[in-house]
Amino acid sequence: MSLSLILPMSAFALAASISPGPVNLVCLSSGTRYPVSRGLVFVTGATLGFVALFIAVGLGLFSLLTMLPIFEEILRWAGVVFLLYLSVKLATDNGRLPEGESRKAPGFTTGALMQWLNPKAWLASASGIGAYTSANDLDQILMFASVYLPICWLSLACWVYAGAFLRRYVQRPEVLVTVNRTLALLLAASCLYLVIG
């Protein structure tokens, strides 16, 4: 595969990965609340979950969902429920930064699952594969996935580090409660895309 194709693939992967979305908001929140290392576990799960979804979409999963609309509907409502669950957890947080291991950060499995329920991930997979690969060309799909993997991981990690940077300014519980509720509202608002779209 030529550099002339890898560069646009990389630009697409960067734009899709670093732009705000549900997973990015959870990364930001994790960075404000937990040590960076715990946020990066979530990032790793989200990245590998996305790459698995990307390859599955490239191999025809998106076509299967289009042919069987009931599965698409189930996926949409599962995404809504999962995002609302995360929103409620964030909104009801007391704003106190955890001491040691007393609170459980979103982990690897949450990150991986969240990508499969994330409309942004499905859209990025389908549009990227449609634009930059030939239909069902496994070599091209795997090449694009290998380009996507480090870009997605680094992009999501940037959101965790941004949260860690903000942590210095949100030490007071009342400030963190405001930040959490704002992020929860944005996360819940992203459900509108699932319901309307």
Side-chain angles (χ1 to χ4, degrees):
M1 189 170 289
S2 70
L3 190 61
S4 62
L5 189 54
I6 291 175
L7 288 176
M9 282 179 172
S10 300
F12 176 88
L14 179 62
S17 299
I18 207 158
S19 59
V23 173
N24 307 74
L25 293 174
V26 172
C27 288
L28 181 66
S29 173
S30 184
T32 62
R33 302 209 33 81
Y34 305 101
V36 168
S37 60
R38 292 173 75 183
L40 294 180
V41 171
F42 174 82
V43 166
T44 302
T47 300
L48 294 177
F50 175 79
V51 169
L53 172 66
F54 187 85
I55 292 169
V57 167
L59 296 177
L61 181 60
F62 192 74
S63 300
L64 179 65
L65 286 175
T66 310
M67 291 184 331
L68 299 168
I70 186 67
F71 290 122
E72 190 175 356
E73 200 63 25
I74 290 169
L75 181 67
R76 175 182 295 149
W77 287 106
V80 167
V81 169
F82 188 67
L83 292 176
L84 288 176
Y85 164 76
L86 290 175
S87 298
V88 168
K89 283 188 70 172
L90 204 51
T92 58
D93 187 82
N94 66 10
R96 298 198 192 305
L97 293 173
E99 299 290 329
E101 301 292 312
S102 63
R103 297 285 304 262
K104 193 171 187 307
F108 182 92
T109 305
T110 302
L113 177 63
M114 195 168 179
Q115 289 290 30
W116 282 78
L117 298 174
N118 179 5
K120 180 185 167 197
W122 282 87
L123 183 60
S125 297
S127 58
I129 286 168
Y132 297 104
T133 68
S134 303
N136 298 322
D137 185 331
L138 183 59
D139 289 337
Q140 286 183 349
I141 292 165
L142 292 177
M143 172 56 82
F144 199 175
S146 68
V147 167
Y148 230 122
L149 184 105
I151 292 171
C152 181
W153 193 91
L154 290 169
S155 297
L156 295 178
C158 285
W159 284 85
V160 172
Y161 279 102
F165 175 78
L166 289 174
R167 182 180 183 140
R168 288 186 267 178
Y169 303 102
V170 295
Q171 293 293 322
R172 293 187 330 220
E174 58 273 11
V175 175
L176 192 53
V177 164
T178 303
V179 169
N180 284 344
R181 288 185 180 158
T182 302
L183 291 173
L185 186 61
L186 291 171
L187 199 55
S190 70
C191 292
L192 287 176
Y193 179 82
L194 281 170
V195 173
I196 297 169

